[in-house]
Amino acid sequence: MAPSTGDLQLTSPGAGKGSDELEDVRLLDSYEKHYIHHDETKRIQVRITGMTCAACSNSVETALRSVNGVTEASVALLQNKADVIFNPSLVKDVDIKNAIEDAGFEAEILPDSGPADRGGVAATLVGQFTIGGMTCAACVNSVEGILRRLNGVKRVVVALATSLGEVEYDPNVISKDDIVAAIEDAGFEGSFVQSNGQDQVLFGVGGVYSLGDARVLEGMLSGTKGVRQFRFDPVLNELDVAYDPVVISSRSLVDGIQLGSNGKFRLHVRNPYARMASKDGSETSTMFRLFISSLVLSVPLFFIGVICPHIPFVYSLLLWRCGPFLMGDWLKWALVSVIQFVIGKRFYIAAGRALRNGSTNMDVLVALGTTASYVYSVCALLYGALTGFWSPTYFETSAMLITFVLLGKYLECLAKGKTSDAIKKLVELTPATALLVVKDKGGRTIEEREIDSLLVQPGDTLKVLPGTKIPADGIVTWGSSYVNESMVTGESTPVSKEVNASVIGGTINMHGVLHIQATKIGSDTVLSQIISLVETAQMSKAPIQKFADYVASIFVPTVVSLSLLTLLCWYIAGALGAYPEKWLPENGNHFVFALMFSISVVVIACPCALGLATPTAVMVATGVGANNGVLIKGGDSLETAQKVKYVIFDKTGTLTQGKSTVTAARVFTGMDRGEFLTLVASAEASSEHPLGKAILQYARHFLFFDESSPTSGTKNDAAVLKSGWLYDVSDFSALPGRGVQCFIDGKRILVGNRKLLEENGIEISTEVESFVVELEESAKTGILVAYDDVLTGVLGIADPLKREASVVIEGLRKMGVIPVMVTGDNWRTARAVAKEVGIEDVRAEVMPAGKADVVRSFQKDGSIVAMVGDGINDSPALAAADVGMAIGAGTDVAIEAANYVLMRDNLEDVITAIDLSKKTFLRIRLNYVFAMAYNVVAIPVAAGVFFPSLRIQLPPWLAGACMAMSSVSVVCSSLLLRRYTRPKLTTILEILVN
């Protein structure tokens, strides 16, 4: 027999330690280190969980500074970290941790992680794992508790709705295989998905059919320069490779293997999200197969008990005695034994592992209930055979219970699959292949070939045909077309794309052929970031879910105790003659009567519905938000946004279009107008401010295209027709909140507001002041220019309001939200803009750092404050706000600091975000009402509380059906959120105050 390749591991000869730690896609940043500050003091960093606003960070800072020995403490809300300097002779690390926890937050001292060896393994990795078999919040608590106890694990987050776990761990202490083993030992199915290990890639391999093929592949990889280590799984045909990107790229590796094997071996990059989707489908199909098997075996039991007694011939066969038992009893026992121990084996395995780890879950309840009815039925048969007194058996109870539980799990899998549609749809947007265009040095195309889209590299030129998806983010280098970006931005109107226009990977080219140059690939693309944001949101836990987690942690032991109490109460009551004998089943006794109530309590009281109430609603909401161009970063954001009282808007680029244009230019000296504009444009050329770009564009247009531009034969006139038409600038500096300054030909030039000129002692004449006031009162910004310490001229710049701004402001008022505008612009311009848009509360001349102080001023009375902004200078305010909303067209820093990202750059989505949050939490409350009401009503009925008066009894098999349907009802309730439609512009004003 040929040797098995099942355990084959291929490793390059020079591989260092940690070859089992081959990871791929980046998820989160690793921890930062702590270090000694001075000889007498020590500095540490602490990760803090649970902070949601500036008030939280202030509470932590106050708690830390009150500790004796702490000399300095600062809390970064955005990074969820605290930086603490203290005297180690007076206070210990653990005292600092306890102080934070006493303040109501979770704390973790970040470990010392010195510089890693170049060829070694990162200090910590964040891995993502699929966890199958979780049914309720108790399961989540069980997995999290077991993983947290593992040596080397730093942080664990498990999401029930997505069946995913995110684990931060030290790969030098524990491997991903150890984590998978711990998950499986806890009674669940575990598998590794991805991690933040860099320079590593996972390939699917075709063409490897034998151990010989595997050895050939090993030899090729071992001889490839730049390959550090690798591992091949012959069962899954997957190749895990770590490589040096300086020496070799992933595409070169693929090309080398395929060419070196003459096309025998074919490699393609595995998409981790696609693998997760296939696992979800596999779990659903497994549940369906188990349910059908159980149903097929349960149908004969139904016939034996209900139909066959009315068919004399068949019934006589069932009453035929075969050995000590009747033929009908033998059939029931055989059928139920298969259902109980073959089909229902998963419940015993999971329950056993859970109990070994000191936890309880739904599997424990199912195993207890079915085992009790099965064991009693077997004992009743044996007792009848020995004594001749035949008690009724309840084999069908065990069978029907398992059948209905499996039905519930199958329907739950289907429903949960629907809730994860958002990520699946986003993953499907990524095209499988890309058309690579290879050009010579002269720019002529010499080759076009199809490659895996995941192998595209920055700088590649890609050809996009009409009707196909754009494979990566990039810039159009040739051609023109319209692109459908609705799947990313939510905007249905196709967008025109010309040369130098940016395009987003995953969007669809509508008409013409385009050549694009890839600029962002992999996890850096817009689509990947959207997937990451949606996934992070679905992994997060809303604060309201802590209640469900707590209830689930004590629910199962409480139910078991309640079940035993029910058994004792009914049995003792029967023994004391508290109820008539006619209540007993035929040939039954008090113990059997009490046992049925007890089993019903065990079966029906499952915390599944309670545990699913929040995560499924949050999961659906994040998907719905993504489909509508609103990216939500977490369940806590949803919970906070629905209580917003103030919405603070940045002016430039948020309320306005951010497309400033120069509308007036006046020179107050004898300087030539063209010379004046060239000086200003030269000064602003190094600025990133939108106003600077508007000035540069105006000057270029005036000098190149305006016929009124003077031609005097000066140096400037000769330069404007050349690419280097701007003057050389030295000592450029941007002055936040004031403007810019630099030197041209040794003379200082200042471009900015009044404050800039006044600080530099430059006089502003009455004529200039009057002109500037006139501009400001017409909602324009006046830019003053001084050259060689003389005020030379003024530019008037207008930034038109977004067309929906005034309607959105009025819509927020209708919702009971108070709009506020904050800007660094002057008071006259700010008031003019605010009046036009309908905002009464205005804060002007605010420095960038001061925007966060404005946010805090509104938070003093405990109000929930949202901040809407787009620029880097808005980031502190976005982080300080309870709810930060970043315009999607804004900067990466602003997006990183926010809780919501508005992809469409449309203010209507501010209302959409708040409206969706309110509807989501209304749905969560309804889910909790369903789940709690179900248990409040069902448990007393199952325990027989109403039996003496109303003769209402809930048989165990019906209790199992009710338990199964409770989870399905909650998930289906959450799925109703998929019908959400965002308020339209024409109906926003009709929104009523909730």
Side-chain angles (χ1 to χ4, degrees), residues 944-970:
V945 172
F946 302 106
F947 186 80
S949 58
L950 302 176
R951 298 296 187 273
I952 296 176
Q953 185 177 12
L954 201 63
W957 67 268
L958 186 56
C962 293
M963 182 270 289
M965 299 301 6
S966 67
S967 300
V968 176
S969 63
V970 167

PDB file of all heavy atoms in Angstrom, residues 944-970:
ATOM      1  N   GLY A 944     -45.964  22.371  34.814  1.00  0.00           N
ATOM      2  CA  GLY A 944     -47.286  21.913  35.233  1.00  0.00           C
ATOM      3  C   GLY A 944     -47.991  22.838  36.192  1.00  0.00           C
ATOM      4  O   GLY A 944     -48.914  22.421  36.897  1.00  0.00           O
ATOM      5  N   VAL A 945     -47.590  24.115  36.232  1.00  0.00           N
ATOM      6  CA  VAL A 945     -48.228  25.063  37.157  1.00  0.00           C
ATOM      7  C   VAL A 945     -49.711  25.201  36.865  1.00  0.00           C
ATOM      8  O   VAL A 945     -50.533  25.347  37.777  1.00  0.00           O
ATOM      9  CB  VAL A 945     -47.519  26.437  37.063  1.00  0.00           C
ATOM     10  CG1 VAL A 945     -48.275  27.488  37.858  1.00  0.00           C
ATOM     11  CG2 VAL A 945     -46.079  26.323  37.559  1.00  0.00           C
ATOM     12  N   PHE A 946     -50.078  25.148  35.576  1.00  0.00           N
ATOM     13  CA  PHE A 946     -51.482  25.343  35.196  1.00  0.00           C
ATOM     14  C   PHE A 946     -52.250  24.023  35.025  1.00  0.00           C
ATOM     15  O   PHE A 946     -53.432  24.037  34.689  1.00  0.00           O
ATOM     16  CB  PHE A 946     -51.564  26.143  33.894  1.00  0.00           C
ATOM     17  CG  PHE A 946     -50.887  27.477  33.974  1.00  0.00           C
ATOM     18  CD1 PHE A 946     -49.663  27.687  33.344  1.00  0.00           C
ATOM     19  CD2 PHE A 946     -51.454  28.511  34.696  1.00  0.00           C
ATOM     20  CE1 PHE A 946     -49.034  28.911  33.423  1.00  0.00           C
ATOM     21  CE2 PHE A 946     -50.829  29.741  34.775  1.00  0.00           C
ATOM     22  CZ  PHE A 946     -49.610  29.948  34.148  1.00  0.00           C
ATOM     23  N   PHE A 947     -51.565  22.909  35.262  1.00  0.00           N
ATOM     24  CA  PHE A 947     -52.232  21.622  35.057  1.00  0.00           C
ATOM     25  C   PHE A 947     -53.386  21.385  36.039  1.00  0.00           C
ATOM     26  O   PHE A 947     -54.465  20.925  35.625  1.00  0.00           O
ATOM     27  CB  PHE A 947     -51.216  20.487  35.142  1.00  0.00           C
ATOM     28  CG  PHE A 947     -51.789  19.148  34.811  1.00  0.00           C
ATOM     29  CD1 PHE A 947     -51.970  18.749  33.493  1.00  0.00           C
ATOM     30  CD2 PHE A 947     -52.187  18.269  35.822  1.00  0.00           C
ATOM     31  CE1 PHE A 947     -52.516  17.518  33.189  1.00  0.00           C
ATOM     32  CE2 PHE A 947     -52.726  17.033  35.528  1.00  0.00           C
ATOM     33  CZ  PHE A 947     -52.889  16.658  34.200  1.00  0.00           C
ATOM     34  N   PRO A 948     -53.227  21.700  37.320  1.00  0.00           N
ATOM     35  CA  PRO A 948     -54.349  21.432  38.244  1.00  0.00           C
ATOM     36  C   PRO A 948     -55.614  22.198  37.892  1.00  0.00           C
ATOM     37  O   PRO A 948     -56.718  21.678  38.069  1.00  0.00           O
ATOM     38  CB  PRO A 948     -53.787  21.888  39.603  1.00  0.00           C
ATOM     39  CG  PRO A 948     -52.310  21.764  39.455  1.00  0.00           C
ATOM     40  CD  PRO A 948     -52.021  22.144  38.034  1.00  0.00           C
ATOM     41  N   SER A 949     -55.480  23.424  37.390  1.00  0.00           N
ATOM     42  CA  SER A 949     -56.670  24.232  37.135  1.00  0.00           C
ATOM     43  C   SER A 949     -57.150  24.142  35.699  1.00  0.00           C
ATOM     44  O   SER A 949     -58.355  24.101  35.430  1.00  0.00           O
ATOM     45  CB  SER A 949     -56.393  25.703  37.485  1.00  0.00           C
ATOM     46  OG  SER A 949     -55.287  26.187  36.730  1.00  0.00           O
ATOM     47  N   LEU A 950     -56.238  24.113  34.743  1.00  0.00           N
ATOM     48  CA  LEU A 950     -56.620  24.154  33.330  1.00  0.00           C
ATOM     49  C   LEU A 950     -56.340  22.855  32.592  1.00  0.00           C
ATOM     50  O   LEU A 950     -56.686  22.730  31.409  1.00  0.00           O
ATOM     51  CB  LEU A 950     -55.892  25.313  32.629  1.00  0.00           C
ATOM     52  CG  LEU A 950     -56.118  26.710  33.205  1.00  0.00           C
ATOM     53  CD1 LEU A 950     -55.268  27.738  32.475  1.00  0.00           C
ATOM     54  CD2 LEU A 950     -57.598  27.092  33.105  1.00  0.00           C
ATOM     55  N   ARG A 951     -55.701  21.895  33.233  1.00  0.00           N
ATOM     56  CA  ARG A 951     -55.321  20.618  32.616  1.00  0.00           C
ATOM     57  C   ARG A 951     -54.421  20.827  31.390  1.00  0.00           C
ATOM     58  O   ARG A 951     -54.472  20.084  30.425  1.00  0.00           O
ATOM     59  CB  ARG A 951     -56.558  19.807  32.214  1.00  0.00           C
ATOM     60  CG  ARG A 951     -57.455  19.415  33.338  1.00  0.00           C
ATOM     61  CD  ARG A 951     -56.748  18.460  34.316  1.00  0.00           C
ATOM     62  NE  ARG A 951     -57.689  17.956  35.299  1.00  0.00           N
ATOM     63  CZ  ARG A 951     -57.977  18.588  36.430  1.00  0.00           C
ATOM     64  NH1 ARG A 951     -57.412  19.755  36.681  1.00  0.00           N
ATOM     65  NH2 ARG A 951     -58.824  18.065  37.298  1.00  0.00           N
ATOM     66  N   ILE A 952     -53.621  21.883  31.456  1.00  0.00           N
ATOM     67  CA  ILE A 952     -52.679  22.152  30.356  1.00  0.00           C
ATOM     68  C   ILE A 952     -51.359  21.466  30.674  1.00  0.00           C
ATOM     69  O   ILE A 952     -50.745  21.724  31.712  1.00  0.00           O
ATOM     70  CB  ILE A 952     -52.457  23.664  30.164  1.00  0.00           C
ATOM     71  CG1 ILE A 952     -53.763  24.339  29.749  1.00  0.00           C
ATOM     72  CG2 ILE A 952     -51.378  23.920  29.117  1.00  0.00           C
ATOM     73  CD1 ILE A 952     -53.650  25.851  29.620  1.00  0.00           C
ATOM     74  N   GLN A 953     -50.942  20.594  29.761  1.00  0.00           N
ATOM     75  CA  GLN A 953     -49.677  19.880  29.933  1.00  0.00           C
ATOM     76  C   GLN A 953     -48.872  19.968  28.644  1.00  0.00           C
ATOM     77  O   GLN A 953     -49.434  19.895  27.548  1.00  0.00           O
ATOM     78  CB  GLN A 953     -49.926  18.421  30.293  1.00  0.00           C
ATOM     79  CG  GLN A 953     -48.655  17.647  30.614  1.00  0.00           C
ATOM     80  CD  GLN A 953     -48.956  16.218  31.037  1.00  0.00           C
ATOM     81  OE1 GLN A 953     -50.085  15.743  30.885  1.00  0.00           O
ATOM     82  NE2 GLN A 953     -47.975  15.520  31.579  1.00  0.00           N
ATOM     83  N   LEU A 954     -47.583  20.144  28.792  1.00  0.00           N
ATOM     84  CA  LEU A 954     -46.703  20.276  27.638  1.00  0.00           C
ATOM     85  C   LEU A 954     -45.828  19.019  27.560  1.00  0.00           C
ATOM     86  O   LEU A 954     -44.875  18.879  28.322  1.00  0.00           O
ATOM     87  CB  LEU A 954     -45.822  21.522  27.770  1.00  0.00           C
ATOM     88  CG  LEU A 954     -45.213  22.094  26.495  1.00  0.00           C
ATOM     89  CD1 LEU A 954     -46.308  22.573  25.549  1.00  0.00           C
ATOM     90  CD2 LEU A 954     -44.283  23.257  26.832  1.00  0.00           C
ATOM     91  N   PRO A 955     -46.161  18.080  26.670  1.00  0.00           N
ATOM     92  CA  PRO A 955     -45.344  16.866  26.561  1.00  0.00           C
ATOM     93  C   PRO A 955     -43.895  17.223  26.196  1.00  0.00           C
ATOM     94  O   PRO A 955     -43.646  18.234  25.537  1.00  0.00           O
ATOM     95  CB  PRO A 955     -46.022  16.093  25.415  1.00  0.00           C
ATOM     96  CG  PRO A 955     -47.393  16.658  25.324  1.00  0.00           C
ATOM     97  CD  PRO A 955     -47.278  18.083  25.718  1.00  0.00           C
ATOM     98  N   PRO A 956     -42.922  16.408  26.591  1.00  0.00           N
ATOM     99  CA  PRO A 956     -41.519  16.710  26.298  1.00  0.00           C
ATOM    100  C   PRO A 956     -41.221  16.928  24.813  1.00  0.00           C
ATOM    101  O   PRO A 956     -40.435  17.802  24.447  1.00  0.00           O
ATOM    102  CB  PRO A 956     -40.780  15.489  26.848  1.00  0.00           C
ATOM    103  CG  PRO A 956     -41.651  15.002  27.954  1.00  0.00           C
ATOM    104  CD  PRO A 956     -43.054  15.237  27.477  1.00  0.00           C
ATOM    105  N   TRP A 957     -41.858  16.111  23.935  1.00  0.00           N
ATOM    106  CA  TRP A 957     -41.551  16.286  22.515  1.00  0.00           C
ATOM    107  C   TRP A 957     -42.058  17.633  21.993  1.00  0.00           C
ATOM    108  O   TRP A 957     -41.417  18.275  21.162  1.00  0.00           O
ATOM    109  CB  TRP A 957     -42.162  15.146  21.699  1.00  0.00           C
ATOM    110  CG  TRP A 957     -43.665  15.129  21.652  1.00  0.00           C
ATOM    111  CD1 TRP A 957     -44.499  14.466  22.487  1.00  0.00           C
ATOM    112  CD2 TRP A 957     -44.500  15.808  20.712  1.00  0.00           C
ATOM    113  NE1 TRP A 957     -45.811  14.678  22.149  1.00  0.00           N
ATOM    114  CE2 TRP A 957     -45.842  15.503  21.047  1.00  0.00           C
ATOM    115  CE3 TRP A 957     -44.267  16.634  19.621  1.00  0.00           C
ATOM    116  CZ2 TRP A 957     -46.930  16.009  20.350  1.00  0.00           C
ATOM    117  CZ3 TRP A 957     -45.345  17.136  18.906  1.00  0.00           C
ATOM    118  CH2 TRP A 957     -46.647  16.827  19.263  1.00  0.00           C
ATOM    119  N   LEU A 958     -43.214  18.085  22.529  1.00  0.00           N
ATOM    120  CA  LEU A 958     -43.735  19.390  22.133  1.00  0.00           C
ATOM    121  C   LEU A 958     -42.884  20.503  22.738  1.00  0.00           C
ATOM    122  O   LEU A 958     -42.688  21.558  22.112  1.00  0.00           O
ATOM    123  CB  LEU A 958     -45.185  19.532  22.595  1.00  0.00           C
ATOM    124  CG  LEU A 958     -45.924  20.804  22.131  1.00  0.00           C
ATOM    125  CD1 LEU A 958     -45.893  20.922  20.619  1.00  0.00           C
ATOM    126  CD2 LEU A 958     -47.361  20.792  22.657  1.00  0.00           C
ATOM    127  N   ALA A 959     -42.372  20.271  23.941  1.00  0.00           N
ATOM    128  CA  ALA A 959     -41.465  21.240  24.545  1.00  0.00           C
ATOM    129  C   ALA A 959     -40.215  21.418  23.679  1.00  0.00           C
ATOM    130  O   ALA A 959     -39.702  22.530  23.512  1.00  0.00           O
ATOM    131  CB  ALA A 959     -41.071  20.783  25.951  1.00  0.00           C
ATOM    132  N   GLY A 960     -39.736  20.292  23.133  1.00  0.00           N
ATOM    133  CA  GLY A 960     -38.572  20.374  22.230  1.00  0.00           C
ATOM    134  C   GLY A 960     -38.880  21.176  20.987  1.00  0.00           C
ATOM    135  O   GLY A 960     -38.044  21.962  20.501  1.00  0.00           O
ATOM    136  N   ALA A 961     -40.076  21.005  20.447  1.00  0.00           N
ATOM    137  CA  ALA A 961     -40.471  21.775  19.261  1.00  0.00           C
ATOM    138  C   ALA A 961     -40.547  23.259  19.593  1.00  0.00           C
ATOM    139  O   ALA A 961     -40.085  24.105  18.814  1.00  0.00           O
ATOM    140  CB  ALA A 961     -41.813  21.269  18.751  1.00  0.00           C
ATOM    141  N   CYS A 962     -41.106  23.588  20.747  1.00  0.00           N
ATOM    142  CA  CYS A 962     -41.202  24.990  21.152  1.00  0.00           C
ATOM    143  C   CYS A 962     -39.817  25.600  21.353  1.00  0.00           C
ATOM    144  O   CYS A 962     -39.562  26.745  20.962  1.00  0.00           O
ATOM    145  CB  CYS A 962     -42.013  25.110  22.441  1.00  0.00           C
ATOM    146  SG  CYS A 962     -43.753  24.671  22.259  1.00  0.00           S
ATOM    147  N   MET A 963     -38.940  24.833  21.986  1.00  0.00           N
ATOM    148  CA  MET A 963     -37.578  25.326  22.207  1.00  0.00           C
ATOM    149  C   MET A 963     -36.881  25.608  20.887  1.00  0.00           C
ATOM    150  O   MET A 963     -36.212  26.635  20.719  1.00  0.00           O
ATOM    151  CB  MET A 963     -36.793  24.290  23.016  1.00  0.00           C
ATOM    152  CG  MET A 963     -35.364  24.701  23.348  1.00  0.00           C
ATOM    153  SD  MET A 963     -34.162  24.196  22.118  1.00  0.00           S
ATOM    154  CE  MET A 963     -34.153  22.432  22.417  1.00  0.00           C
ATOM    155  N   ALA A 964     -37.040  24.698  19.931  1.00  0.00           N
ATOM    156  CA  ALA A 964     -36.408  24.887  18.623  1.00  0.00           C
ATOM    157  C   ALA A 964     -36.958  26.122  17.923  1.00  0.00           C
ATOM    158  O   ALA A 964     -36.226  26.909  17.317  1.00  0.00           O
ATOM    159  CB  ALA A 964     -36.623  23.649  17.763  1.00  0.00           C
ATOM    160  N   MET A 965     -38.274  26.298  18.005  1.00  0.00           N
ATOM    161  CA  MET A 965     -38.901  27.403  17.294  1.00  0.00           C
ATOM    162  C   MET A 965     -38.588  28.746  17.938  1.00  0.00           C
ATOM    163  O   MET A 965     -38.650  29.775  17.273  1.00  0.00           O
ATOM    164  CB  MET A 965     -40.420  27.197  17.225  1.00  0.00           C
ATOM    165  CG  MET A 965     -40.893  25.954  16.505  1.00  0.00           C
ATOM    166  SD  MET A 965     -40.498  25.600  14.793  1.00  0.00           S
ATOM    167  CE  MET A 965     -39.461  26.669  14.146  1.00  0.00           C
ATOM    168  N   SER A 966     -38.261  28.761  19.223  1.00  0.00           N
ATOM    169  CA  SER A 966     -37.980  30.040  19.884  1.00  0.00           C
ATOM    170  C   SER A 966     -36.757  30.716  19.267  1.00  0.00           C
ATOM    171  O   SER A 966     -36.772  31.918  18.994  1.00  0.00           O
ATOM    172  CB  SER A 966     -37.758  29.818  21.386  1.00  0.00           C
ATOM    173  OG  SER A 966     -36.575  29.074  21.615  1.00  0.00           O
ATOM    174  N   SER A 967     -35.694  29.939  19.038  1.00  0.00           N
ATOM    175  CA  SER A 967     -34.488  30.503  18.427  1.00  0.00           C
ATOM    176  C   SER A 967     -34.767  30.966  17.007  1.00  0.00           C
ATOM    177  O   SER A 967     -34.330  32.039  16.586  1.00  0.00           O
ATOM    178  CB  SER A 967     -33.370  29.456  18.418  1.00  0.00           C
ATOM    179  OG  SER A 967     -33.064  29.053  19.724  1.00  0.00           O
ATOM    180  N   VAL A 968     -35.516  30.146  16.278  1.00  0.00           N
ATOM    181  CA  VAL A 968     -35.832  30.501  14.893  1.00  0.00           C
ATOM    182  C   VAL A 968     -36.650  31.786  14.840  1.00  0.00           C
ATOM    183  O   VAL A 968     -36.431  32.653  13.992  1.00  0.00           O
ATOM    184  CB  VAL A 968     -36.587  29.348  14.206  1.00  0.00           C
ATOM    185  CG1 VAL A 968     -37.004  29.736  12.795  1.00  0.00           C
ATOM    186  CG2 VAL A 968     -35.718  28.101  14.163  1.00  0.00           C
ATOM    187  N   SER A 969     -37.586  31.929  15.778  1.00  0.00           N
ATOM    188  CA  SER A 969     -38.439  33.125  15.768  1.00  0.00           C
ATOM    189  C   SER A 969     -37.621  34.383  16.022  1.00  0.00           C
ATOM    190  O   SER A 969     -37.864  35.427  15.407  1.00  0.00           O
ATOM    191  CB  SER A 969     -39.546  32.991  16.810  1.00  0.00           C
ATOM    192  OG  SER A 969     -39.001  32.900  18.111  1.00  0.00           O
ATOM    193  N   VAL A 970     -36.641  34.300  16.931  1.00  0.00           N
ATOM    194  CA  VAL A 970     -35.813  35.466  17.219  1.00  0.00           C
ATOM    195  C   VAL A 970     -34.950  35.823  16.006  1.00  0.00           C
ATOM    196  O   VAL A 970     -34.833  36.997  15.638  1.00  0.00           O
ATOM    197  CB  VAL A 970     -34.930  35.208  18.459  1.00  0.00           C
ATOM    198  CG1 VAL A 970     -33.838  36.269  18.579  1.00  0.00           C
ATOM    199  CG2 VAL A 970     -35.769  35.189  19.717  1.00  0.00           C
TER     200      VAL A 970
END
